Amino acid sequence: MSPSVPSLPRRVARTLRTSLFAQVCCALVLGIVVGKLWPDTATAFQPLGDGFTRLIKTVISPLVFCVVVVGIAKAGDLKAFGRIGVKALVWFEIASTAALVIGLVAANVVGPGRGMNVDPGSLDTAAVDETTGGGRLPTTTEFLLNALPQSFVGAFAENELLQVLILACLVGAALLHLGHTRVPKILPAIEQAQEIIFAVVGFIMRLAPLAVFGAMAHLVGNYGLGVMKTYGKLIVLCYVAAALFVALLGVALKAVTGLSLWKFLRYIREEMLLALGTASTESVMPRVMQKLRRAGARDDAVGLVLPTGYSFNLDGASLYLSIGTLFIAQAVGVDLGLGQQITVVLVLMLTSKGMAGIPGSAFLALSATASSLGAIPAGAVALLLGVDRIMDSMRVVTNLLGNCVAVFAVSRWEGALDIDQAKRTLDGEDVSSPDDGEEEHDGQLKRAEGEFSTEALAPAVPAQKSRGLEELKEPAPEAG
C-alpha cells in the first residue's frame, strides 16, 4: 500500500508554517497589495518594520563583540587578525572603486537625465534639509576619531559597530596575553553568551514576515507606484548596473574561492528577501554571520570583515551615488568632463566611507560631491527625493552581497576558509537551519567544555609563565 500523499492545501499550509522564505514572500506581496489599494491606511503599518529593526539592533553589538573575541582567542594569533583587517580594507577599496566606475560608465552610456532640462531654481530644497536633518558627513579625521570608544558601555548603548570592534580586539588581545590559566572561565562564558544571543535572534526572526509586510505597505502607500514611470529610466539603469556588479562579484568569488555566488544566493535567500523587504542590511546581519560561519568561514574573519564592511564597503551606495551625480548633472544641463568625473570618483571614495548610520547620508554625499565640483547646484539633489526610497532595495542587496563575498575572499586569502565545508553547505548537504541548531549548540558546548575543562582544573602556574601565547598550547600538568 503506497503512502498517502498530502493534499495540495496541506502542503501549502505546511510550507507556510515551516519556511521563513515562503512567509516573507507572502508578506512582501501582501504589503504591496495593501499599499496599493489602501495607501492612506497602509502607512500606519510602518511601526511593524521599524520595531523589528530596533529589536535586531539590540543584539548586533553584543553579538559582534562575542564573535570577534572568540575568533581572536581561538585563532591564537593577533598578527593574523591584523592581516585580516588590512586585507579586508584592500578588498573594500577595490570593490567600492569598481562600483563607482561601473556607475559612471553606465550613466555616461545611457544618460538617464539627458533632455530633462530642469531649472535648479524651481526645486524645493527644504525637503532635502528635512530628510538630512540639517546634518553633514564627518570629515576623515572626525570619522577616524569617532571610531574610538569613549566608554565601554557607551559603544554598546549607541550601537557603534566600529567602536565595539575595537573593544573586542582589545579584549581578545588581553585574553591571549593572560592565557587560559589566568582567566579560565572567561572564554567559555563569552561563547555561551554568543549562543544565547543567536537563540534570541531566532526568536526575533519569527517576526520577520510582519516586518516585511509593514515596510512594503508603507513604501507603496507613501510613494506609490507612479514614481516608477517618472524615473523609470534611472531606476532601470541602477538595477541593471547593480546586476552587472553582482555578476562581477560572482566571477571574483569563483576565481578566488571556487564557490558559486548563485548557490550562495540560494543559501541566504531568506535573509536576502528580508533585507529587500525591510530595506535594511542590519536586520539580517546576525543571521548572515551565523550562516557564513556555518559555510566554513572562520570566526575571526566573519567577526571582523562583515561588521567593518557595513561602514567601509557600501558597494550599492557607491554605485547609486556615481549614477545619481551624473543624473543630476545631466538633468540640469551640466556636461561633466573626464577630469571632473575623476574628481567625482575621488570625492565619493571618501564620502561614501562615512555614510553608515547617518540620516539622509546619500543626499549629504551627493551635496558634498556637487559642492566640490562647483559646476552642479547643490540644491539639484532634490531631484532624487522621489526615487531615493525605491533605490534602497538595490543598495541593501548589493551592499550585503558585496560584504559576504568580501568575507569569503579575505578568508580564502588568509587561509581562514574551509573550502570543503563551504561547498558542502552551499550544495545543500548541511540542511540544518540557523534557528533550530539544538544539536550544533550542544556539540559546541561539549567542545568548549573539552577545550577548557583541563585548563580550568589545572593547578595554577607561576604568573611569569602565564604570559604570552605559548602557554595556550601547553598541556595541563597531570594530577599527582
Side-chain angles (χ1 to χ4, degrees), residues 396-411:
V396 298
V397 168
T398 310
N399 289 343
L400 181 59
L401 276 178
N403 287 322
C404 290
V405 170
V407 171
F408 280 125
V410 174
S411 298

Side-chain angles (χ1 to χ4, degrees), residues 18 29 35-36 90 95 118 149 160 165 176 209 226 231 255 272 274 299 315 331 342 366 373 380 399 453 455 466-467:
T18 58
V29 174
K36 177 63 177 175
V90 171
V118 175
E160 294 288 348
L165 276 173
L176 286 180
Y231 291 94
M272 194 61 66
L274 178 58
D299 282 5
D315 297 329
I342 293 175
L366 287 169
L373 292 174
N399 289 343
S453 59
E455 287 87 353
S466 67
R467 304 293 176 119

Side-chain angles (χ1 to χ4, degrees), residues 237-256:
L237 175 62
C238 285
Y239 277 83
V240 169
L244 174 61
F245 179 76
V246 169
L248 291 177
L249 282 178
V251 172
L253 180 64
K254 190 72 175 178
V256 175

Side-chain angles (χ1 to χ4, degrees), residues 60-75:
I60 287 178
S61 291
L63 178 60
V64 168
F65 178 82
C66 291
V67 170
V68 172
V69 171
V70 171
I72 293 177
K74 284 194 168 183

